[in-house]
């Protein structure tokens, strides 16, 4: 048998699909970058209105009153054990001096939950409606 194409070499074909993928990927990259950079320019060029700083209050928030409850359920204020009457008077005095002040309750982690609720109730009854629990 004689082969017809024995001496002729096949013509190589150029595959354009991978080249088109690369070109479209690069084109997409440049389009996205151009859009991103043009948005950044327009945002910087916008002049925003300002607020008169004289009318805004620049008061610093008051230092919170920190009340502790130890493992036995004893209330502590300024590192001194206090009873409910002294604590109530201290909270009332603090809130009169700092109407926007808050009371922070630091309860021992081994304290019974019921004791924490009772401490919050005592603070709330004397007007400490802004009672927060401190956590670590």
């Amino acid at each position: 048998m004689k082969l017809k194409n024995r001496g002729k070499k096949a013509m190589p074909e150029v595959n354009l699909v991978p080249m088109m993928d690369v070109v479209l990927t690069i084109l997409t990259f440049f389009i996205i970058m151009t859009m991103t950079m043009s948005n950044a320019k327009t945002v910087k060029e916008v002049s925003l209105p300002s607020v008169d700083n004289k009318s805004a209050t620049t008061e610093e928030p008051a230092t919170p009153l920190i009340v502790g409850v130890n493992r036995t359920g004893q209330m502590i204020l300024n590192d001194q054990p206090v009873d409910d009457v002294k604590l109530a008077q201290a909270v009332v005095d603090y809130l009169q001096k700092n109407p926007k002040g808050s009371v922070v309750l630091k309860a021992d982690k081994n304290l019974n939950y019921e004791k924490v609720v009772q401490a919050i109730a005592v603070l709330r009854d004397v007007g400490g409606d802004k009672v927060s629990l401190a956590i670590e």
Side-chain angles (χ1 to χ4, degrees):
M1 278 180 64
K2 200 174 189 189
L3 295 174
K4 294 182 183 177
N5 291 334
R6 190 170 187 164
K8 295 183 181 178
K9 291 188 176 181
M11 212 42 190
E13 292 182 19
V14 177
N15 193 354
L16 294 178
V17 174
M19 185 177 72
M20 292 299 291
D21 286 343
V22 170
V23 169
L24 287 176
T25 303
I26 293 172
L27 180 66
T28 305
F29 172 77
F30 282 114
I31 289 173
I32 291 172
M33 289 305 295
T34 303
M35 289 173 44
T36 304
M37 292 175 74
S38 67
N39 283 342
K41 272 188 175 179
T42 57
V43 171
K44 289 180 183 176
E45 293 173 0
V46 174
S47 62
L48 299 174
S50 64
V51 177
D52 185 22
N53 288 336
K54 295 176 185 175
S55 64
T57 58
T58 58
E59 294 179 15
E60 293 183 19
T63 304
L65 178 67
I66 298 175
V67 178
V69 182
N70 64 10
R71 191 175 296 194
T72 61
Q74 178 71 40
M75 299 282 210
I76 299 173
L77 182 66
N78 297 330
D79 296 326
Q80 300 291 328
V82 293
D83 60 352
D84 291 346
V85 176
K86 289 182 182 178
L87 178 65
Q89 185 60 42
V91 170
V92 168
D93 291 343
Y94 171 77
L95 292 175
Q96 285 177 350
K97 291 177 185 174
N98 306 306
K100 294 185 179 182
S102 64
V103 179
V104 176
L105 179 65
K106 287 187 173 183
D108 189 89
K109 67 180 178 180
N110 297 322
L111 187 64
N112 189 353
Y113 185 71
E114 184 178 345
K115 298 277 188 182
V116 175
V117 172
Q118 289 173 355
I120 292 174
V122 168
L123 294 172
R124 189 181 53 211
D125 289 342
V126 295
D129 59 343
K130 296 179 183 177
V131 178
S132 303
L133 289 175
I135 59 170
E136 289 183 9

PDB file of all heavy atoms in Angstrom, residues 96-129:
ATOM      1  N   GLN A  96     -27.353  63.460  90.634  1.00  0.00           N
ATOM      2  CA  GLN A  96     -27.667  64.889  90.702  1.00  0.00           C
ATOM      3  C   GLN A  96     -26.531  65.713  90.101  1.00  0.00           C
ATOM      4  O   GLN A  96     -26.765  66.707  89.435  1.00  0.00           O
ATOM      5  CB  GLN A  96     -27.935  65.315  92.141  1.00  0.00           C
ATOM      6  CG  GLN A  96     -29.285  64.861  92.660  1.00  0.00           C
ATOM      7  CD  GLN A  96     -29.498  65.222  94.108  1.00  0.00           C
ATOM      8  OE1 GLN A  96     -28.569  65.659  94.804  1.00  0.00           O
ATOM      9  NE2 GLN A  96     -30.721  65.030  94.588  1.00  0.00           N
ATOM     10  N   LYS A  97     -25.287  65.290  90.350  1.00  0.00           N
ATOM     11  CA  LYS A  97     -24.139  66.000  89.790  1.00  0.00           C
ATOM     12  C   LYS A  97     -23.965  65.712  88.303  1.00  0.00           C
ATOM     13  O   LYS A  97     -23.518  66.569  87.543  1.00  0.00           O
ATOM     14  CB  LYS A  97     -22.852  65.602  90.531  1.00  0.00           C
ATOM     15  CG  LYS A  97     -22.790  66.088  91.949  1.00  0.00           C
ATOM     16  CD  LYS A  97     -21.535  65.611  92.636  1.00  0.00           C
ATOM     17  CE  LYS A  97     -21.530  65.992  94.091  1.00  0.00           C
ATOM     18  NZ  LYS A  97     -20.382  65.414  94.804  1.00  0.00           N
ATOM     19  N   ASN A  98     -24.283  64.491  87.888  1.00  0.00           N
ATOM     20  CA  ASN A  98     -24.115  64.053  86.497  1.00  0.00           C
ATOM     21  C   ASN A  98     -25.428  63.462  85.989  1.00  0.00           C
ATOM     22  O   ASN A  98     -25.621  62.249  86.048  1.00  0.00           O
ATOM     23  CB  ASN A  98     -23.015  62.986  86.394  1.00  0.00           C
ATOM     24  CG  ASN A  98     -21.712  63.441  86.993  1.00  0.00           C
ATOM     25  OD1 ASN A  98     -21.195  64.481  86.631  1.00  0.00           O
ATOM     26  ND2 ASN A  98     -21.192  62.672  87.927  1.00  0.00           N
ATOM     27  N   PRO A  99     -26.344  64.297  85.496  1.00  0.00           N
ATOM     28  CA  PRO A  99     -27.643  63.765  85.057  1.00  0.00           C
ATOM     29  C   PRO A  99     -27.528  62.756  83.911  1.00  0.00           C
ATOM     30  O   PRO A  99     -28.361  61.872  83.783  1.00  0.00           O
ATOM     31  CB  PRO A  99     -28.406  65.004  84.591  1.00  0.00           C
ATOM     32  CG  PRO A  99     -27.643  66.174  85.073  1.00  0.00           C
ATOM     33  CD  PRO A  99     -26.257  65.735  85.368  1.00  0.00           C
ATOM     34  N   LYS A 100     -26.492  62.867  83.113  1.00  0.00           N
ATOM     35  CA  LYS A 100     -26.324  61.924  82.004  1.00  0.00           C
ATOM     36  C   LYS A 100     -25.334  60.818  82.354  1.00  0.00           C
ATOM     37  O   LYS A 100     -24.911  60.060  81.488  1.00  0.00           O
ATOM     38  CB  LYS A 100     -25.852  62.654  80.747  1.00  0.00           C
ATOM     39  CG  LYS A 100     -26.878  63.604  80.196  1.00  0.00           C
ATOM     40  CD  LYS A 100     -26.420  64.212  78.907  1.00  0.00           C
ATOM     41  CE  LYS A 100     -27.487  65.142  78.359  1.00  0.00           C
ATOM     42  NZ  LYS A 100     -27.097  65.713  77.080  1.00  0.00           N
ATOM     43  N   GLY A 101     -24.988  60.714  83.612  1.00  0.00           N
ATOM     44  CA  GLY A 101     -24.026  59.709  84.046  1.00  0.00           C
ATOM     45  C   GLY A 101     -24.635  58.313  84.050  1.00  0.00           C
ATOM     46  O   GLY A 101     -25.852  58.130  83.968  1.00  0.00           O
ATOM     47  N   SER A 102     -23.781  57.335  84.172  1.00  0.00           N
ATOM     48  CA  SER A 102     -24.241  55.955  84.226  1.00  0.00           C
ATOM     49  C   SER A 102     -23.579  55.236  85.392  1.00  0.00           C
ATOM     50  O   SER A 102     -22.539  55.646  85.886  1.00  0.00           O
ATOM     51  CB  SER A 102     -23.937  55.233  82.915  1.00  0.00           C
ATOM     52  OG  SER A 102     -22.549  55.160  82.717  1.00  0.00           O
ATOM     53  N   VAL A 103     -24.223  54.152  85.799  1.00  0.00           N
ATOM     54  CA  VAL A 103     -23.725  53.350  86.905  1.00  0.00           C
ATOM     55  C   VAL A 103     -23.271  52.015  86.330  1.00  0.00           C
ATOM     56  O   VAL A 103     -24.001  51.377  85.577  1.00  0.00           O
ATOM     57  CB  VAL A 103     -24.821  53.136  87.968  1.00  0.00           C
ATOM     58  CG1 VAL A 103     -24.300  52.288  89.113  1.00  0.00           C
ATOM     59  CG2 VAL A 103     -25.336  54.473  88.473  1.00  0.00           C
ATOM     60  N   VAL A 104     -22.054  51.600  86.681  1.00  0.00           N
ATOM     61  CA  VAL A 104     -21.504  50.335  86.201  1.00  0.00           C
ATOM     62  C   VAL A 104     -21.432  49.378  87.384  1.00  0.00           C
ATOM     63  O   VAL A 104     -20.880  49.709  88.429  1.00  0.00           O
ATOM     64  CB  VAL A 104     -20.107  50.532  85.577  1.00  0.00           C
ATOM     65  CG1 VAL A 104     -19.513  49.203  85.166  1.00  0.00           C
ATOM     66  CG2 VAL A 104     -20.189  51.468  84.388  1.00  0.00           C
ATOM     67  N   LEU A 105     -22.001  48.198  87.191  1.00  0.00           N
ATOM     68  CA  LEU A 105     -22.007  47.181  88.235  1.00  0.00           C
ATOM     69  C   LEU A 105     -20.969  46.126  87.888  1.00  0.00           C
ATOM     70  O   LEU A 105     -21.045  45.487  86.847  1.00  0.00           O
ATOM     71  CB  LEU A 105     -23.390  46.548  88.359  1.00  0.00           C
ATOM     72  CG  LEU A 105     -23.535  45.443  89.398  1.00  0.00           C
ATOM     73  CD1 LEU A 105     -23.317  46.004  90.793  1.00  0.00           C
ATOM     74  CD2 LEU A 105     -24.894  44.792  89.289  1.00  0.00           C
ATOM     75  N   LYS A 106     -19.987  45.966  88.784  1.00  0.00           N
ATOM     76  CA  LYS A 106     -18.975  44.928  88.628  1.00  0.00           C
ATOM     77  C   LYS A 106     -19.281  43.842  89.641  1.00  0.00           C
ATOM     78  O   LYS A 106     -19.048  44.008  90.832  1.00  0.00           O
ATOM     79  CB  LYS A 106     -17.572  45.484  88.867  1.00  0.00           C
ATOM     80  CG  LYS A 106     -17.054  46.359  87.767  1.00  0.00           C
ATOM     81  CD  LYS A 106     -15.597  46.702  88.024  1.00  0.00           C
ATOM     82  CE  LYS A 106     -14.999  47.427  86.853  1.00  0.00           C
ATOM     83  NZ  LYS A 106     -13.575  47.715  87.053  1.00  0.00           N
ATOM     84  N   ALA A 107     -19.825  42.738  89.158  1.00  0.00           N
ATOM     85  CA  ALA A 107     -20.186  41.636  90.039  1.00  0.00           C
ATOM     86  C   ALA A 107     -19.164  40.520  89.899  1.00  0.00           C
ATOM     87  O   ALA A 107     -18.645  40.268  88.821  1.00  0.00           O
ATOM     88  CB  ALA A 107     -21.578  41.127  89.686  1.00  0.00           C
ATOM     89  N   ASP A 108     -18.881  39.853  91.002  1.00  0.00           N
ATOM     90  CA  ASP A 108     -17.960  38.723  91.010  1.00  0.00           C
ATOM     91  C   ASP A 108     -18.509  37.626  90.101  1.00  0.00           C
ATOM     92  O   ASP A 108     -19.715  37.371  90.079  1.00  0.00           O
ATOM     93  CB  ASP A 108     -17.796  38.212  92.438  1.00  0.00           C
ATOM     94  CG  ASP A 108     -16.681  37.189  92.542  1.00  0.00           C
ATOM     95  OD1 ASP A 108     -15.529  37.592  92.763  1.00  0.00           O
ATOM     96  OD2 ASP A 108     -16.992  35.989  92.402  1.00  0.00           O
ATOM     97  N   LYS A 109     -17.624  36.959  89.368  1.00  0.00           N
ATOM     98  CA  LYS A 109     -18.086  35.957  88.409  1.00  0.00           C
ATOM     99  C   LYS A 109     -18.655  34.717  89.083  1.00  0.00           C
ATOM    100  O   LYS A 109     -19.430  33.996  88.477  1.00  0.00           O
ATOM    101  CB  LYS A 109     -16.968  35.567  87.448  1.00  0.00           C
ATOM    102  CG  LYS A 109     -15.812  34.834  88.074  1.00  0.00           C
ATOM    103  CD  LYS A 109     -14.773  34.490  87.038  1.00  0.00           C
ATOM    104  CE  LYS A 109     -13.588  33.790  87.658  1.00  0.00           C
ATOM    105  NZ  LYS A 109     -12.593  33.454  86.658  1.00  0.00           N
ATOM    106  N   ASN A 110     -18.321  34.490  90.337  1.00  0.00           N
ATOM    107  CA  ASN A 110     -18.853  33.337  91.057  1.00  0.00           C
ATOM    108  C   ASN A 110     -20.107  33.668  91.847  1.00  0.00           C
ATOM    109  O   ASN A 110     -20.638  32.815  92.550  1.00  0.00           O
ATOM    110  CB  ASN A 110     -17.785  32.766  91.998  1.00  0.00           C
ATOM    111  CG  ASN A 110     -16.586  32.254  91.227  1.00  0.00           C
ATOM    112  OD1 ASN A 110     -16.722  31.684  90.156  1.00  0.00           O
ATOM    113  ND2 ASN A 110     -15.407  32.477  91.771  1.00  0.00           N
ATOM    114  N   LEU A 111     -20.590  34.887  91.721  1.00  0.00           N
ATOM    115  CA  LEU A 111     -21.767  35.330  92.451  1.00  0.00           C
ATOM    116  C   LEU A 111     -23.021  34.733  91.835  1.00  0.00           C
ATOM    117  O   LEU A 111     -23.126  34.601  90.607  1.00  0.00           O
ATOM    118  CB  LEU A 111     -21.840  36.859  92.429  1.00  0.00           C
ATOM    119  CG  LEU A 111     -22.910  37.522  93.275  1.00  0.00           C
ATOM    120  CD1 LEU A 111     -22.660  37.234  94.748  1.00  0.00           C
ATOM    121  CD2 LEU A 111     -22.910  39.018  93.035  1.00  0.00           C
ATOM    122  N   ASN A 112     -23.964  34.387  92.682  1.00  0.00           N
ATOM    123  CA  ASN A 112     -25.243  33.845  92.231  1.00  0.00           C
ATOM    124  C   ASN A 112     -25.983  34.896  91.394  1.00  0.00           C
ATOM    125  O   ASN A 112     -25.979  36.079  91.719  1.00  0.00           O
ATOM    126  CB  ASN A 112     -26.072  33.439  93.458  1.00  0.00           C
ATOM    127  CG  ASN A 112     -27.318  32.680  93.095  1.00  0.00           C
ATOM    128  OD1 ASN A 112     -27.669  32.539  91.927  1.00  0.00           O
ATOM    129  ND2 ASN A 112     -27.983  32.170  94.114  1.00  0.00           N
ATOM    130  N   TYR A 113     -26.636  34.458  90.336  1.00  0.00           N
ATOM    131  CA  TYR A 113     -27.343  35.363  89.424  1.00  0.00           C
ATOM    132  C   TYR A 113     -28.426  36.151  90.154  1.00  0.00           C
ATOM    133  O   TYR A 113     -28.665  37.315  89.856  1.00  0.00           O
ATOM    134  CB  TYR A 113     -27.950  34.545  88.280  1.00  0.00           C
ATOM    135  CG  TYR A 113     -28.611  35.360  87.221  1.00  0.00           C
ATOM    136  CD1 TYR A 113     -27.866  36.140  86.351  1.00  0.00           C
ATOM    137  CD2 TYR A 113     -29.984  35.358  87.081  1.00  0.00           C
ATOM    138  CE1 TYR A 113     -28.472  36.895  85.378  1.00  0.00           C
ATOM    139  CE2 TYR A 113     -30.604  36.108  86.103  1.00  0.00           C
ATOM    140  CZ  TYR A 113     -29.842  36.867  85.249  1.00  0.00           C
ATOM    141  OH  TYR A 113     -30.449  37.609  84.281  1.00  0.00           O
ATOM    142  N   GLU A 114     -29.050  35.530  91.136  1.00  0.00           N
ATOM    143  CA  GLU A 114     -30.109  36.199  91.886  1.00  0.00           C
ATOM    144  C   GLU A 114     -29.566  37.411  92.631  1.00  0.00           C
ATOM    145  O   GLU A 114     -30.219  38.458  92.706  1.00  0.00           O
ATOM    146  CB  GLU A 114     -30.741  35.207  92.863  1.00  0.00           C
ATOM    147  CG  GLU A 114     -31.918  35.776  93.624  1.00  0.00           C
ATOM    148  CD  GLU A 114     -32.538  34.736  94.553  1.00  0.00           C
ATOM    149  OE1 GLU A 114     -32.252  33.542  94.410  1.00  0.00           O
ATOM    150  OE2 GLU A 114     -33.313  35.153  95.425  1.00  0.00           O
ATOM    151  N   LYS A 115     -28.340  37.303  93.148  1.00  0.00           N
ATOM    152  CA  LYS A 115     -27.722  38.430  93.859  1.00  0.00           C
ATOM    153  C   LYS A 115     -27.433  39.586  92.896  1.00  0.00           C
ATOM    154  O   LYS A 115     -27.566  40.753  93.260  1.00  0.00           O
ATOM    155  CB  LYS A 115     -26.423  37.983  94.534  1.00  0.00           C
ATOM    156  CG  LYS A 115     -26.598  36.927  95.576  1.00  0.00           C
ATOM    157  CD  LYS A 115     -27.001  37.535  96.868  1.00  0.00           C
ATOM    158  CE  LYS A 115     -26.974  36.448  97.946  1.00  0.00           C
ATOM    159  NZ  LYS A 115     -27.401  36.953  99.220  1.00  0.00           N
ATOM    160  N   VAL A 116     -27.041  39.270  91.673  1.00  0.00           N
ATOM    161  CA  VAL A 116     -26.779  40.311  90.673  1.00  0.00           C
ATOM    162  C   VAL A 116     -28.075  41.041  90.347  1.00  0.00           C
ATOM    163  O   VAL A 116     -28.116  42.269  90.259  1.00  0.00           O
ATOM    164  CB  VAL A 116     -26.138  39.704  89.405  1.00  0.00           C
ATOM    165  CG1 VAL A 116     -25.981  40.751  88.322  1.00  0.00           C
ATOM    166  CG2 VAL A 116     -24.804  39.065  89.726  1.00  0.00           C
ATOM    167  N   VAL A 117     -29.149  40.300  90.178  1.00  0.00           N
ATOM    168  CA  VAL A 117     -30.449  40.914  89.872  1.00  0.00           C
ATOM    169  C   VAL A 117     -30.897  41.798  91.032  1.00  0.00           C
ATOM    170  O   VAL A 117     -31.438  42.888  90.816  1.00  0.00           O
ATOM    171  CB  VAL A 117     -31.492  39.818  89.558  1.00  0.00           C
ATOM    172  CG1 VAL A 117     -32.880  40.412  89.435  1.00  0.00           C
ATOM    173  CG2 VAL A 117     -31.105  39.087  88.288  1.00  0.00           C
ATOM    174  N   GLN A 118     -30.680  41.357  92.265  1.00  0.00           N
ATOM    175  CA  GLN A 118     -31.037  42.173  93.427  1.00  0.00           C
ATOM    176  C   GLN A 118     -30.222  43.462  93.462  1.00  0.00           C
ATOM    177  O   GLN A 118     -30.749  44.529  93.788  1.00  0.00           O
ATOM    178  CB  GLN A 118     -30.831  41.382  94.718  1.00  0.00           C
ATOM    179  CG  GLN A 118     -31.831  40.274  94.917  1.00  0.00           C
ATOM    180  CD  GLN A 118     -31.496  39.397  96.116  1.00  0.00           C
ATOM    181  OE1 GLN A 118     -30.448  39.570  96.750  1.00  0.00           O
ATOM    182  NE2 GLN A 118     -32.375  38.456  96.425  1.00  0.00           N
ATOM    183  N   ALA A 119     -28.938  43.381  93.129  1.00  0.00           N
ATOM    184  CA  ALA A 119     -28.089  44.579  93.107  1.00  0.00           C
ATOM    185  C   ALA A 119     -28.568  45.555  92.039  1.00  0.00           C
ATOM    186  O   ALA A 119     -28.620  46.772  92.270  1.00  0.00           O
ATOM    187  CB  ALA A 119     -26.637  44.187  92.869  1.00  0.00           C
ATOM    188  N   ILE A 120     -28.936  45.038  90.879  1.00  0.00           N
ATOM    189  CA  ILE A 120     -29.459  45.910  89.814  1.00  0.00           C
ATOM    190  C   ILE A 120     -30.762  46.548  90.256  1.00  0.00           C
ATOM    191  O   ILE A 120     -31.016  47.735  89.995  1.00  0.00           O
ATOM    192  CB  ILE A 120     -29.636  45.115  88.506  1.00  0.00           C
ATOM    193  CG1 ILE A 120     -28.274  44.719  87.956  1.00  0.00           C
ATOM    194  CG2 ILE A 120     -30.415  45.919  87.477  1.00  0.00           C
ATOM    195  CD1 ILE A 120     -28.341  43.800  86.754  1.00  0.00           C
ATOM    196  N   ALA A 121     -31.603  45.801  90.957  1.00  0.00           N
ATOM    197  CA  ALA A 121     -32.882  46.341  91.428  1.00  0.00           C
ATOM    198  C   ALA A 121     -32.664  47.474  92.417  1.00  0.00           C
ATOM    199  O   ALA A 121     -33.366  48.494  92.372  1.00  0.00           O
ATOM    200  CB  ALA A 121     -33.714  45.229  92.052  1.00  0.00           C
ATOM    201  N   VAL A 122     -31.692  47.315  93.318  1.00  0.00           N
ATOM    202  CA  VAL A 122     -31.392  48.384  94.285  1.00  0.00           C
ATOM    203  C   VAL A 122     -30.938  49.637  93.553  1.00  0.00           C
ATOM    204  O   VAL A 122     -31.379  50.743  93.852  1.00  0.00           O
ATOM    205  CB  VAL A 122     -30.311  47.909  95.293  1.00  0.00           C
ATOM    206  CG1 VAL A 122     -29.779  49.070  96.117  1.00  0.00           C
ATOM    207  CG2 VAL A 122     -30.874  46.822  96.191  1.00  0.00           C
ATOM    208  N   LEU A 123     -30.061  49.480  92.564  1.00  0.00           N
ATOM    209  CA  LEU A 123     -29.558  50.638  91.813  1.00  0.00           C
ATOM    210  C   LEU A 123     -30.666  51.289  90.991  1.00  0.00           C
ATOM    211  O   LEU A 123     -30.737  52.509  90.872  1.00  0.00           O
ATOM    212  CB  LEU A 123     -28.396  50.220  90.919  1.00  0.00           C
ATOM    213  CG  LEU A 123     -27.140  49.764  91.649  1.00  0.00           C
ATOM    214  CD1 LEU A 123     -26.137  49.195  90.668  1.00  0.00           C
ATOM    215  CD2 LEU A 123     -26.535  50.910  92.435  1.00  0.00           C
ATOM    216  N   ARG A 124     -31.530  50.493  90.417  1.00  0.00           N
ATOM    217  CA  ARG A 124     -32.611  51.035  89.591  1.00  0.00           C
ATOM    218  C   ARG A 124     -33.648  51.757  90.451  1.00  0.00           C
ATOM    219  O   ARG A 124     -34.212  52.771  90.040  1.00  0.00           O
ATOM    220  CB  ARG A 124     -33.266  49.906  88.802  1.00  0.00           C
ATOM    221  CG  ARG A 124     -34.248  50.404  87.771  1.00  0.00           C
ATOM    222  CD  ARG A 124     -34.904  49.294  87.017  1.00  0.00           C
ATOM    223  NE  ARG A 124     -35.483  48.365  87.983  1.00  0.00           N
ATOM    224  CZ  ARG A 124     -35.607  47.073  87.788  1.00  0.00           C
ATOM    225  NH1 ARG A 124     -35.201  46.540  86.668  1.00  0.00           N
ATOM    226  NH2 ARG A 124     -36.138  46.288  88.698  1.00  0.00           N
ATOM    227  N   ASP A 125     -33.893  51.252  91.655  1.00  0.00           N
ATOM    228  CA  ASP A 125     -34.897  51.865  92.530  1.00  0.00           C
ATOM    229  C   ASP A 125     -34.518  53.274  92.952  1.00  0.00           C
ATOM    230  O   ASP A 125     -35.400  54.108  93.202  1.00  0.00           O
ATOM    231  CB  ASP A 125     -35.124  50.994  93.775  1.00  0.00           C
ATOM    232  CG  ASP A 125     -35.860  49.707  93.443  1.00  0.00           C
ATOM    233  OD1 ASP A 125     -36.479  49.631  92.356  1.00  0.00           O
ATOM    234  OD2 ASP A 125     -35.804  48.767  94.268  1.00  0.00           O
ATOM    235  N   VAL A 126     -33.239  53.562  93.035  1.00  0.00           N
ATOM    236  CA  VAL A 126     -32.816  54.900  93.456  1.00  0.00           C
ATOM    237  C   VAL A 126     -32.631  55.840  92.269  1.00  0.00           C
ATOM    238  O   VAL A 126     -32.166  56.947  92.433  1.00  0.00           O
ATOM    239  CB  VAL A 126     -31.519  54.857  94.289  1.00  0.00           C
ATOM    240  CG1 VAL A 126     -31.770  54.123  95.589  1.00  0.00           C
ATOM    241  CG2 VAL A 126     -30.392  54.258  93.517  1.00  0.00           C
ATOM    242  N   GLY A 127     -32.986  55.399  91.092  1.00  0.00           N
ATOM    243  CA  GLY A 127     -32.931  56.283  89.932  1.00  0.00           C
ATOM    244  C   GLY A 127     -31.825  55.969  88.958  1.00  0.00           C
ATOM    245  O   GLY A 127     -31.633  56.699  87.986  1.00  0.00           O
ATOM    246  N   GLY A 128     -31.095  54.930  89.193  1.00  0.00           N
ATOM    247  CA  GLY A 128     -30.020  54.576  88.280  1.00  0.00           C
ATOM    248  C   GLY A 128     -30.553  53.747  87.115  1.00  0.00           C
ATOM    249  O   GLY A 128     -30.321  52.543  87.045  1.00  0.00           O
ATOM    250  N   ASP A 129     -31.297  54.401  86.222  1.00  0.00           N
ATOM    251  CA  ASP A 129     -31.877  53.662  85.096  1.00  0.00           C
ATOM    252  C   ASP A 129     -30.851  53.337  84.034  1.00  0.00           C
ATOM    253  O   ASP A 129     -31.114  52.561  83.119  1.00  0.00           O
ATOM    254  CB  ASP A 129     -33.060  54.431  84.496  1.00  0.00           C
ATOM    255  CG  ASP A 129     -32.656  55.811  84.011  1.00  0.00           C
ATOM    256  OD1 ASP A 129     -31.592  56.290  84.421  1.00  0.00           O
ATOM    257  OD2 ASP A 129     -33.415  56.401  83.233  1.00  0.00           O
TER     258      ASP A 129
END
